[in-house]
Amino acid sequence: MPDHRSSAWDSRSNPRSPPSVAGVGVGIAGLTSARELRHRGRDPVVLEAEARVGRFDDGARGLSGATRLAVPVVQAPGARAALDPRTVAATPAAEERTRKAPARTIRSDEVARFNRLAATWWNRAGPMRPLHVVNELRLGHVLEQIARRFGRPVGALQGLRIADIGCGAGLMCEPLAARGAAVVGVDAAASNIAVAQLHSKAAGLPIDYRVGEPAAVLQDLERFDVLLLLEVVEHVDEVPAFVRDAVARLAPGGLLLASTINRTLRSYLAAIVGAEIVFRVLPRGTHHWARFVRPEELDQAAAACGLAAGERRGMAYLPVVHRAWWTRGLAVNYIASYHKPARAAG
């Protein structure tokens, strides 16, 4: 989801004592320990995220009350609370601040589910493995679309401001920031943002992460050259309102890229029956078929905001071998691009 970047850790840690990284003699700052962990197949950042957020069994265990994690909502750049997660305990009042954004489009059940899965985002062999595979394919397309729109070499993002709305734990934010873009990541799940902050800090990437809805955490006068709505619109209540709130921050001449799942019989069989029930590559309940978005519905939402439609691509994913590729068909996954006229007001 401006160059108001926050590289500091802004979350509050679990006041309890979960299995800690220090307890097994390792830490993110310890180079030798990190190498040992990677040799064993465990990313030290993933381990630290599990310690911060709590350990989960494929999302079965969830956050309860304010005892796990609370992250202050960043309502405006520079307005974040300066908290040290090692010394400040989570409280009901602090958790309440994470709900400050108006719940007009975000579904509370979706937020709770992604909070439960937060610590698994950067585990490439865990429940989010399909997202890692898809993200690698999708990143190339995003870079190509940006290059085409702004007339620059592929991957040259210096000077561009990009907002990734529904950013999760930052899987797309990090490679964009590494290529020079000023990136803002927005997500309604506080635990996702906490893990994203930890991972980007370990990578040395100055990404500005914010908790809440775009209408609440993006400034009225903020403008972005690129908006990303990747695998998020199928998780909100009001797609037109959600798109409108996001596009309000798109600069004239800007680019919107949105990916989601079509609402077809084939998508039900592939994304729910196949991915969640048969192959179990996604946690059960990740998707709800009734919330999938048809291409024409996405086009209508974008057109209502004054955007012109661009290219569409379908995508296929084979769970057995964890491979993704582009297709001509849009029956299941697809990505669509839109642009705002250069002379549009606002």
Side-chain angles (χ1 to χ4, degrees):
M1 62 291 225
D3 198 7
H4 303 285
R5 303 179 181 184
S6 167
S7 60
W9 175 259
D10 300 329
S11 67
R12 299 186 177 185
S13 68
N14 184 354
R16 301 191 303 172
S17 298
S20 66
V21 174
V24 291
V26 297
I28 293 178
L31 181 60
T32 301
S33 298
R35 284 175 176 170
E36 290 175 355
L37 278 173
R38 289 193 179 95
H39 181 69
R40 299 170 191 165
R42 298 305 307 276
D43 188 326
V45 175
V46 172
L47 284 179
E48 176 70 0
E50 290 175 348
R52 297 281 189 185
V53 181
R55 295 187 180 276
F56 306 99
D57 180 11
D58 286 350
R61 293 177 57 191
L63 303 178
S64 61
T67 60
R68 290 294 185 90
L69 180 71
V71 177
V73 172
V74 181
Q75 290 283 355
R80 56 184 172 79
L83 301 176
D84 185 340
R86 296 166 295 183
T87 59
V88 182
T91 65
E95 186 181 57
E96 183 62 28
R97 286 196 291 274
T98 70
R99 303 193 189 100
K100 192 172 181 180
R104 183 172 61 178
T105 60
I106 301 296
R107 296 183 61 91
S108 60
D109 58 329
E110 296 284 359
V111 173
R113 184 169 54 77
F114 281 107
N115 270 328
R116 291 194 295 271
L117 289 169
T120 69
W121 275 90
W122 285 97
N123 182 356
R124 291 178 175 271
M128 297 301 183
R129 182 174 180 178
L131 277 183
H132 284 272
V133 175
V134 168
N135 197 62
E136 292 179 4
L137 178 69
R138 194 165 50 195
L139 174 62
H141 181 69
V142 169
L143 295 176
E144 289 174 4
Q145 289 292 312
I146 292 174
R148 185 181 306 171
R149 181 63 187 165
F150 298 100
R152 54 174 64 199
V154 175
L157 305 183
Q158 292 82 359
L160 292 180
R161 305 198 306 185
I162 301 177
D164 185 359
I165 299 175
C167 66
L171 269 62
M172 182 62 73
C173 291
E174 290 200 8
L176 297 178
R179 288 168 170 81
V183 180
V184 172
V186 176
D187 202 280
S191 298
N192 284 350
I193 293 298
V195 173
Q197 287 175 322
L198 178 65
H199 203 274
S200 64
K201 183 179 180 181
L205 295 172
I207 301 170
D208 181 358
Y209 285 114
R210 309 179 193 179
V211 182
E213 294 204 36
V217 300
L218 298 178
Q219 290 285 287
D220 290 341
L221 297 180
E222 281 189 281
R223 293 296 178 267
F224 297 92
D225 302 295
V226 181
L227 286 178
L228 302 178
L229 303 179
L230 306 177
E231 311 305 323
V232 64
V233 295
E234 69 270 23
H235 298 290
V236 304
D237 258 335
E238 298 292 336
V239 172
F242 185 81
V243 171
R244 182 179 64 246
D245 289 343
V247 171
R249 276 75 180 178
L250 184 63
L255 174 69
L256 169 67
L257 289 164
S259 63
T260 187
I261 307 176
N262 200 347
R263 194 169 65 254
T264 63
L265 174 60
R266 185 173 171 183
S267 71
Y268 178 81
L269 295 175
I272 296 179
V273 176
E276 297 183 20
I277 299 175
V278 177
F279 296 106
R280 298 183 182 181
V281 294
L282 290 175
R284 189 75 175 266
T286 296
H287 295 118
H288 300 275
W289 183 81
R291 298 179 198 162
F292 290 175
V293 182
R294 292 172 177 161
E296 57 268 25
E297 294 169 344
L298 191 57
D299 284 352
Q300 290 169 5
C305 302
L307 302 187
E311 181 183 351
R312 286 181 187 162
R313 280 192 188 182
M315 190 191 69
Y317 176 77
L318 187 58
V320 178
V321 296
H322 294 287
R323 178 174 171 263
W325 64 94
W326 297 116
T327 71
R328 293 182 179 180
L330 307 177
V332 187
N333 296 82
Y334 67 95
I335 187 168
S337 64
Y338 306 90
H339 67 269
K340 192 172 188 176
R343 297 182 180 179

